[in-house]
Amino acid sequence: MLNTALFMQQIREHPIVATISIAAGTILASEVIWKAVKFFHSQLSGKRPLRVHEVLSFNELGDICAAQHLRKSMPGSPELTKSPEPIVLQCRNMYCSLRNVGKIVEQIDRAVYSLDVAIYTFSSLILADAFKRALQRGVSVRIISDREMVFSSGSQINVLACLGVPVRMPITSKMMHNKYCVIDGVERVEEIRRLKQRKWIRPYCSVVVSGSVNWTRQGFGGNWENCILSEDKELARMFQADFTRMWKAFEKSENNLKQE
Ligand SMILES: [Zn+2]
């Protein structure tokens, strides 16, 4: 109360200084508010400080560090005790198969709302585990795959289907030869928001995982393959639109994998 009276007295005695001080304070406050608005807007629109835009190459140099990783993952290894996960991601071999698969897993682990996958062959246990974690977080997972390859040895699509993941496979002699995954595509996130009648959505970021590589041991560790990870919004929008079109096209029950 005393401070307020003193403040008013100062204004009366020094009107110019007071006006300048109030103006400076107002500008400062506006700046703070504007930065706060920009921060929350960027969070809600899905921007993150770490931008993903990368090509992963799988080639003959992918396993030169495999023995080293195996040694470090042995029980009792000092590196394992410190932090098992980042060891592979920090591998200096830019073609390291384990590191590259880890980078795909990293993106799947960031999924907030949806994972839409169109894949020819999926037998990677590491990726399957990432999808299981996503299901536990409540992420919607949908898979479109090739009818023959769904039932191939080691296919993880059956495993995920048993966990409630809807799988569609076109009845055709042609191959479903896509290898991509759309993580939190805007169109799908909006659909989920409408279905769940939510007014607000949590921060998310659309990411596309796509390339020549099938999600198999051979693909990640034996062939010359590529995989692009990208946060490009237009790319994500187009891949999501492609998935949505196929999902509707294969809507008939005969295209659906029967869950037992
Ligand atoms: Zn490595």
Side-chain angles (χ1 to χ4, degrees), residues 212-246:
S212 66
V213 70
N214 270 306
W215 295 356
T216 63
R217 181 188 289 263
Q218 181 71 19
F220 290 136
N223 298 342
W224 282 261
E225 306 274 7
N226 72 77
C227 185
I228 298 166
L229 305 178
S230 177
E231 282 184 25
D232 185 281
K233 287 183 176 172
E234 189 58 11
L235 202 65
R237 187 192 66 74
M238 289 188 283
F239 269 104
Q240 184 64 66
D242 184 59
F243 185 92
T244 304
R245 191 205 67 77
M246 287 194 294

Short mmCIF file of all heavy atoms in Angstrom, two decimals, residues 212-246:
data_model
loop_
_atom_site.label_atom_id
_atom_site.label_comp_id
_atom_site.label_asym_id
_atom_site.label_seq_id
_atom_site.Cartn_x
_atom_site.Cartn_y
_atom_site.Cartn_z
N SER A 212 13.97 -47.89 -49.36
CA SER A 212 13.95 -49.19 -50.04
C SER A 212 13.92 -50.35 -49.05
O SER A 212 13.53 -51.46 -49.40
CB SER A 212 15.19 -49.33 -50.92
OG SER A 212 16.37 -49.39 -50.12
N VAL A 213 14.32 -50.07 -47.81
CA VAL A 213 14.56 -51.17 -46.87
C VAL A 213 13.28 -51.79 -46.31
O VAL A 213 12.36 -51.09 -45.85
CB VAL A 213 15.48 -50.69 -45.70
CG1 VAL A 213 14.78 -49.70 -44.77
CG2 VAL A 213 16.04 -51.87 -44.91
N ASN A 214 13.22 -53.12 -46.41
CA ASN A 214 12.18 -53.86 -45.69
C ASN A 214 12.60 -53.96 -44.24
O ASN A 214 13.78 -53.95 -43.92
CB ASN A 214 12.03 -55.26 -46.28
CG ASN A 214 11.00 -55.29 -47.40
OD1 ASN A 214 9.86 -54.86 -47.21
ND2 ASN A 214 11.40 -55.78 -48.56
N TRP A 215 11.64 -54.10 -43.35
CA TRP A 215 11.96 -54.12 -41.92
C TRP A 215 12.30 -55.55 -41.50
O TRP A 215 11.56 -56.21 -40.76
CB TRP A 215 10.80 -53.57 -41.12
CG TRP A 215 10.54 -52.12 -41.40
CD1 TRP A 215 11.26 -51.29 -42.22
CD2 TRP A 215 9.49 -51.32 -40.87
NE1 TRP A 215 10.73 -50.03 -42.22
CE2 TRP A 215 9.64 -50.01 -41.41
CE3 TRP A 215 8.44 -51.57 -39.98
CZ2 TRP A 215 8.78 -48.98 -41.09
CZ3 TRP A 215 7.57 -50.53 -39.67
CH2 TRP A 215 7.76 -49.25 -40.21
N THR A 216 13.44 -56.02 -42.02
CA THR A 216 13.88 -57.39 -41.76
C THR A 216 15.36 -57.40 -41.42
O THR A 216 16.07 -56.42 -41.66
CB THR A 216 13.69 -58.26 -43.01
OG1 THR A 216 14.52 -57.74 -44.06
CG2 THR A 216 12.25 -58.26 -43.50
N ARG A 217 15.84 -58.52 -40.90
CA ARG A 217 17.26 -58.68 -40.60
C ARG A 217 18.10 -58.52 -41.88
O ARG A 217 19.13 -57.87 -41.89
CB ARG A 217 17.51 -60.06 -39.98
CG ARG A 217 18.96 -60.33 -39.61
CD ARG A 217 19.10 -61.77 -39.20
NE ARG A 217 18.47 -62.01 -37.91
CZ ARG A 217 19.13 -62.02 -36.75
NH1 ARG A 217 20.42 -61.81 -36.73
NH2 ARG A 217 18.50 -62.26 -35.62
N GLN A 218 17.61 -59.12 -42.96
CA GLN A 218 18.32 -59.04 -44.24
C GLN A 218 18.36 -57.58 -44.74
O GLN A 218 19.38 -57.10 -45.22
CB GLN A 218 17.60 -59.92 -45.27
CG GLN A 218 18.24 -59.95 -46.65
CD GLN A 218 19.57 -60.71 -46.67
OE1 GLN A 218 19.83 -61.49 -45.77
NE2 GLN A 218 20.39 -60.44 -47.67
N GLY A 219 17.23 -56.90 -44.59
CA GLY A 219 17.17 -55.51 -45.06
C GLY A 219 18.09 -54.61 -44.28
O GLY A 219 18.83 -53.79 -44.85
N PHE A 220 18.09 -54.75 -42.96
CA PHE A 220 18.88 -53.86 -42.11
C PHE A 220 20.35 -54.28 -42.02
O PHE A 220 21.20 -53.47 -41.70
CB PHE A 220 18.30 -53.82 -40.69
CG PHE A 220 16.97 -53.12 -40.59
CD1 PHE A 220 15.93 -53.65 -39.85
CD2 PHE A 220 16.77 -51.90 -41.24
CE1 PHE A 220 14.71 -53.00 -39.75
CE2 PHE A 220 15.55 -51.24 -41.14
CZ PHE A 220 14.51 -51.80 -40.40
N GLY A 221 20.62 -55.56 -42.29
CA GLY A 221 21.99 -56.01 -42.05
C GLY A 221 22.65 -56.77 -43.18
O GLY A 221 23.74 -57.30 -43.01
N GLY A 222 22.05 -56.82 -44.34
CA GLY A 222 22.65 -57.61 -45.39
C GLY A 222 22.64 -56.94 -46.76
O GLY A 222 23.53 -57.17 -47.57
N ASN A 223 21.67 -56.11 -46.99
CA ASN A 223 21.51 -55.52 -48.33
C ASN A 223 22.05 -54.09 -48.38
O ASN A 223 22.34 -53.49 -47.35
CB ASN A 223 20.02 -55.47 -48.69
CG ASN A 223 19.41 -56.85 -48.76
OD1 ASN A 223 20.10 -57.86 -48.85
ND2 ASN A 223 18.09 -56.89 -48.69
N TRP A 224 22.14 -53.58 -49.59
CA TRP A 224 22.38 -52.16 -49.78
C TRP A 224 21.01 -51.51 -49.89
O TRP A 224 20.27 -51.76 -50.85
CB TRP A 224 23.20 -51.92 -51.06
CG TRP A 224 24.65 -52.20 -50.89
CD1 TRP A 224 25.64 -51.28 -50.66
CD2 TRP A 224 25.30 -53.47 -50.95
NE1 TRP A 224 26.86 -51.91 -50.56
CE2 TRP A 224 26.68 -53.26 -50.74
CE3 TRP A 224 24.85 -54.79 -51.15
CZ2 TRP A 224 27.61 -54.29 -50.72
CZ3 TRP A 224 25.77 -55.82 -51.13
CH2 TRP A 224 27.13 -55.57 -50.92
N GLU A 225 20.67 -50.71 -48.87
CA GLU A 225 19.33 -50.14 -48.79
C GLU A 225 19.40 -48.71 -48.28
O GLU A 225 20.45 -48.27 -47.79
CB GLU A 225 18.45 -50.95 -47.81
CG GLU A 225 18.38 -52.44 -48.06
CD GLU A 225 17.29 -52.83 -49.07
OE1 GLU A 225 16.68 -51.93 -49.67
OE2 GLU A 225 17.08 -54.03 -49.25
N ASN A 226 18.29 -48.02 -48.36
CA ASN A 226 18.22 -46.67 -47.76
C ASN A 226 16.92 -46.49 -47.02
O ASN A 226 15.94 -47.21 -47.26
CB ASN A 226 18.35 -45.59 -48.85
CG ASN A 226 17.09 -45.51 -49.70
OD1 ASN A 226 16.09 -44.95 -49.27
ND2 ASN A 226 17.12 -46.12 -50.88
N CYS A 227 16.95 -45.53 -46.12
CA CYS A 227 15.73 -45.17 -45.39
C CYS A 227 15.80 -43.67 -45.05
O CYS A 227 16.79 -43.22 -44.49
CB CYS A 227 15.61 -46.01 -44.11
SG CYS A 227 14.08 -45.72 -43.22
N ILE A 228 14.76 -42.95 -45.42
CA ILE A 228 14.73 -41.51 -45.14
C ILE A 228 13.87 -41.26 -43.91
O ILE A 228 12.78 -41.81 -43.78
CB ILE A 228 14.11 -40.76 -46.35
CG1 ILE A 228 14.97 -40.95 -47.60
CG2 ILE A 228 13.93 -39.27 -46.04
CD1 ILE A 228 14.28 -40.54 -48.88
N LEU A 229 14.38 -40.43 -43.01
CA LEU A 229 13.59 -39.94 -41.88
C LEU A 229 13.38 -38.46 -42.13
O LEU A 229 14.37 -37.72 -42.28
CB LEU A 229 14.34 -40.12 -40.56
CG LEU A 229 14.85 -41.51 -40.20
CD1 LEU A 229 15.61 -41.46 -38.87
CD2 LEU A 229 13.69 -42.49 -40.10
N SER A 230 12.15 -38.02 -42.18
CA SER A 230 11.94 -36.60 -42.50
C SER A 230 10.75 -36.02 -41.75
O SER A 230 9.69 -36.64 -41.66
CB SER A 230 11.72 -36.43 -44.00
OG SER A 230 11.44 -35.07 -44.28
N GLU A 231 10.95 -34.80 -41.26
CA GLU A 231 9.86 -34.05 -40.63
C GLU A 231 9.20 -33.10 -41.61
O GLU A 231 8.40 -32.26 -41.21
CB GLU A 231 10.40 -33.22 -39.45
CG GLU A 231 10.65 -34.01 -38.22
CD GLU A 231 11.08 -33.13 -37.06
OE1 GLU A 231 10.76 -31.94 -37.06
OE2 GLU A 231 11.77 -33.65 -36.17
N ASP A 232 9.56 -33.21 -42.89
CA ASP A 232 8.98 -32.30 -43.89
C ASP A 232 7.45 -32.44 -43.89
O ASP A 232 6.92 -33.53 -44.12
CB ASP A 232 9.55 -32.65 -45.28
CG ASP A 232 9.08 -31.65 -46.33
OD1 ASP A 232 7.93 -31.78 -46.80
OD2 ASP A 232 9.86 -30.75 -46.65
N LYS A 233 6.76 -31.34 -43.62
CA LYS A 233 5.31 -31.40 -43.43
C LYS A 233 4.58 -31.79 -44.71
O LYS A 233 3.60 -32.54 -44.66
CB LYS A 233 4.80 -30.03 -42.95
CG LYS A 233 5.18 -29.76 -41.51
CD LYS A 233 4.63 -28.46 -41.03
CE LYS A 233 4.97 -28.30 -39.56
NZ LYS A 233 4.64 -26.98 -39.06
N GLU A 234 5.03 -31.28 -45.84
CA GLU A 234 4.36 -31.59 -47.10
C GLU A 234 4.54 -33.07 -47.47
O GLU A 234 3.61 -33.72 -47.94
CB GLU A 234 4.92 -30.67 -48.20
CG GLU A 234 4.17 -30.73 -49.52
CD GLU A 234 2.69 -30.38 -49.42
OE1 GLU A 234 2.23 -29.89 -48.38
OE2 GLU A 234 1.97 -30.68 -50.39
N LEU A 235 5.76 -33.56 -47.22
CA LEU A 235 6.04 -34.97 -47.48
C LEU A 235 5.14 -35.85 -46.60
O LEU A 235 4.53 -36.82 -47.08
CB LEU A 235 7.52 -35.25 -47.17
CG LEU A 235 8.16 -36.46 -47.81
CD1 LEU A 235 8.22 -36.30 -49.32
CD2 LEU A 235 9.58 -36.66 -47.27
N ALA A 236 5.06 -35.49 -45.33
CA ALA A 236 4.22 -36.25 -44.40
C ALA A 236 2.76 -36.20 -44.83
O ALA A 236 2.04 -37.22 -44.78
CB ALA A 236 4.38 -35.70 -42.98
N ARG A 237 2.31 -35.03 -45.28
CA ARG A 237 0.92 -34.88 -45.71
C ARG A 237 0.62 -35.80 -46.91
O ARG A 237 -0.40 -36.49 -46.95
CB ARG A 237 0.65 -33.42 -46.10
CG ARG A 237 -0.82 -33.12 -46.40
CD ARG A 237 -0.99 -31.76 -47.05
NE ARG A 237 -0.39 -31.68 -48.37
CZ ARG A 237 -0.88 -32.24 -49.47
NH1 ARG A 237 -2.01 -32.92 -49.41
NH2 ARG A 237 -0.26 -32.14 -50.63
N MET A 238 1.57 -35.85 -47.87
CA MET A 238 1.34 -36.66 -49.07
C MET A 238 1.37 -38.16 -48.76
O MET A 238 0.56 -38.93 -49.28
CB MET A 238 2.36 -36.30 -50.14
CG MET A 238 2.11 -34.91 -50.74
SD MET A 238 3.13 -34.51 -52.16
CE MET A 238 4.68 -34.12 -51.41
N PHE A 239 2.30 -38.57 -47.90
CA PHE A 239 2.35 -39.98 -47.52
C PHE A 239 1.09 -40.37 -46.75
O PHE A 239 0.54 -41.45 -46.93
CB PHE A 239 3.61 -40.29 -46.70
CG PHE A 239 4.78 -40.72 -47.53
CD1 PHE A 239 5.84 -39.85 -47.79
CD2 PHE A 239 4.85 -42.00 -48.08
CE1 PHE A 239 6.92 -40.24 -48.57
CE2 PHE A 239 5.93 -42.40 -48.86
CZ PHE A 239 6.97 -41.52 -49.10
N GLN A 240 0.65 -39.47 -45.85
CA GLN A 240 -0.57 -39.75 -45.08
C GLN A 240 -1.78 -39.89 -46.01
O GLN A 240 -2.61 -40.79 -45.85
CB GLN A 240 -0.81 -38.64 -44.05
CG GLN A 240 -2.01 -38.90 -43.13
CD GLN A 240 -1.81 -40.13 -42.25
OE1 GLN A 240 -0.95 -40.14 -41.39
NE2 GLN A 240 -2.61 -41.16 -42.45
N ALA A 241 -1.85 -39.00 -47.01
CA ALA A 241 -2.96 -39.05 -47.98
C ALA A 241 -2.91 -40.37 -48.75
O ALA A 241 -3.96 -40.99 -49.01
CB ALA A 241 -2.86 -37.87 -48.93
N ASP A 242 -1.72 -40.82 -49.09
CA ASP A 242 -1.58 -42.10 -49.82
C ASP A 242 -2.07 -43.26 -48.95
O ASP A 242 -2.81 -44.13 -49.42
CB ASP A 242 -0.10 -42.31 -50.20
CG ASP A 242 0.09 -43.56 -51.03
OD1 ASP A 242 -0.53 -43.65 -52.11
OD2 ASP A 242 0.83 -44.47 -50.59
N PHE A 243 -1.66 -43.23 -47.67
CA PHE A 243 -2.07 -44.31 -46.76
C PHE A 243 -3.60 -44.30 -46.59
O PHE A 243 -4.25 -45.35 -46.66
CB PHE A 243 -1.39 -44.18 -45.40
CG PHE A 243 -1.69 -45.33 -44.49
CD1 PHE A 243 -0.85 -46.44 -44.45
CD2 PHE A 243 -2.85 -45.35 -43.71
CE1 PHE A 243 -1.15 -47.54 -43.65
CE2 PHE A 243 -3.15 -46.44 -42.90
CZ PHE A 243 -2.30 -47.53 -42.87
N THR A 244 -4.16 -43.11 -46.37
CA THR A 244 -5.60 -42.98 -46.15
C THR A 244 -6.38 -43.52 -47.36
O THR A 244 -7.38 -44.21 -47.21
CB THR A 244 -5.97 -41.50 -45.91
OG1 THR A 244 -5.18 -41.02 -44.81
CG2 THR A 244 -7.44 -41.33 -45.59
N ARG A 245 -5.89 -43.19 -48.57
CA ARG A 245 -6.55 -43.66 -49.78
C ARG A 245 -6.55 -45.20 -49.83
O ARG A 245 -7.57 -45.83 -50.07
CB ARG A 245 -5.85 -43.10 -51.02
CG ARG A 245 -6.63 -43.32 -52.31
CD ARG A 245 -5.73 -43.32 -53.53
NE ARG A 245 -4.83 -44.47 -53.55
CZ ARG A 245 -5.19 -45.71 -53.88
NH1 ARG A 245 -6.43 -45.97 -54.21
NH2 ARG A 245 -4.31 -46.71 -53.86
N MET A 246 -5.36 -45.79 -49.55
CA MET A 246 -5.28 -47.26 -49.60
C MET A 246 -6.14 -47.89 -48.51
O MET A 246 -6.82 -48.90 -48.75
CB MET A 246 -3.82 -47.71 -49.43
CG MET A 246 -2.95 -47.46 -50.63
SD MET A 246 -1.39 -48.36 -50.53
CE MET A 246 -0.59 -47.59 -49.14
#
